Amino acid sequence: MGSSADSERLFNRQRTLHEILGGGLVADVILWRQKNLTLGILLVTLSAWVVFEKSGYTLLSLVSSVLLLLMSILFLWAKSAAILNRPAPPLPQLQLSEEMVNEMAASIRSRVNVLLSVSQDISLGKDSRLFFKVAAYLLLIYFAGGLTDFLTLSYTSLVMVLTIPALYERCEDYVDKYIMMGYRKLLQLYVKLDEEYLNRFQNWVLEKKKLS
């Protein structure tokens, strides 16, 4: 790709989409590099969605039923193995290592601190642009939640994750070009609104303070 195409990349990124997604198995699945695995995930998820929607099962009741069945099978297997002098069920060591727990806790702590920092900046009015972005995302989630239930929303989100990035990777030059054009126009509109209304409102507030 030429330099002009590189300069039109979203967020001026230098890495490929595969690298941004981690470059491992997850990225391969999302971008359909492992077609059989991706298709399997979609089919299993679709089957689960149909089961929940048509059978009347809830997630909690289905998980409880599966766990009860699994525990019963293992319990009877272990008891019969002890009576018949057969080997017990081959179960792995079911425990979390201290290192794994510490890594998970550190990762969660880091992300929560970032979220709290962003929330503080928005609440104190330090970043107007970020406020409008977050407000738009929350409104989108609000309207999406009003149109469907959580299960359908989760399935739809998974389908989008497994289709939109792959389609974007195939047409990223065109997509980046038109999104950047739209972004520049929105930025111009934001600057215009900021100059005409927000600055005028701030000046009005300052005048009121001086008069009082």
Side-chain angles (χ1 to χ4, degrees):
M1 298 179 184
S3 59
S4 60
D6 294 338
S7 63
E8 290 293 326
R9 287 280 176 257
L10 286 178
F11 314 114
N12 294 321
R13 58 184 173 84
Q14 302 298 323
R15 298 184 298 167
T16 63
L17 184 59
H18 187 266
E19 293 172 341
I20 292 174
L21 293 174
L25 179 61
V26 174
D28 290 341
V29 170
I30 293 175
L31 298 177
W32 286 75
R33 307 279 174 88
Q34 301 278 348
K35 292 184 179 180
N36 292 335
L37 183 56
T38 306
L39 188 60
I41 292 173
L42 284 175
L43 290 176
V44 169
T45 309
L46 176 61
S47 303
W49 178 76
V50 171
V51 167
F52 283 125
E53 285 292 315
K54 302 301 181 182
S55 68
Y57 269 107
T58 63
L59 179 61
L60 184 60
S61 62
L62 182 63
V63 170
S64 299
S65 301
V66 171
L67 288 177
L68 177 60
L69 178 62
L70 181 61
M71 289 178 60
S72 300
I73 292 173
L74 292 175
F75 177 80
L76 293 175
W77 185 353
K79 287 297 184 182
S80 60
I83 295 173
L84 300 174
N85 292 323
R86 297 289 184 178
L91 290 177
Q93 189 70 22
L94 301 177
Q95 65 178 9
L96 293 174
S97 66
E98 184 177 354
E99 180 182 359
M100 184 183 298
V101 173
N102 290 336
E103 288 180 359
M104 291 172 59
S107 177
I108 294 173
R109 174 179 171 274
S110 175
R111 284 168 171 74
V112 170
N113 283 339
V114 171
L115 179 62
L116 292 176
S117 177
V118 170
S119 301
Q120 185 177 23
D121 290 342
I122 294 174
S123 301
L124 296 178
K126 294 181 178 180
D127 195 334
S128 301
R129 187 178 302 177
L130 183 60
F131 165 76
F132 288 118
K133 286 182 180 179
V134 172
Y137 286 135
L138 291 176
L139 282 174
L140 182 63
I141 294 172
Y142 169 78
F143 287 120
L147 294 173
T148 183
D149 58 280
F150 178 75
L151 182 63
T152 303
L153 182 62
S154 300
Y155 173 71
T156 306
S157 300
L158 179 63
V159 172
M160 292 174 65
V161 167
L162 293 179
T163 52
I164 292 178
L167 293 173
Y168 168 74
E169 187 184 40
R170 294 190 177 188
C171 310
E172 60 180 328
D173 290 338
Y174 297 103
V175 173
D176 286 354
K177 177 182 177 182
Y178 290 110
I179 288 182
M180 291 302 294
M181 289 172 57
Y183 172 74
R184 293 191 190 100
K185 290 182 180 179
L186 287 175
L187 191 59
Q188 292 172 359
L189 178 62
Y190 170 78
V191 171
K192 183 178 179 181
L193 291 175
D194 185 57
E195 292 176 350
E196 291 186 2
Y197 297 102
L198 293 180
N199 288 341
R200 199 178 295 175
F201 176 74
Q202 290 175 354
N203 292 334
W204 178 78
V205 171
L206 291 175
E207 290 177 1
K208 286 293 184 180
K209 287 184 177 180
K210 289 180 181 178
L211 292 175
S212 61

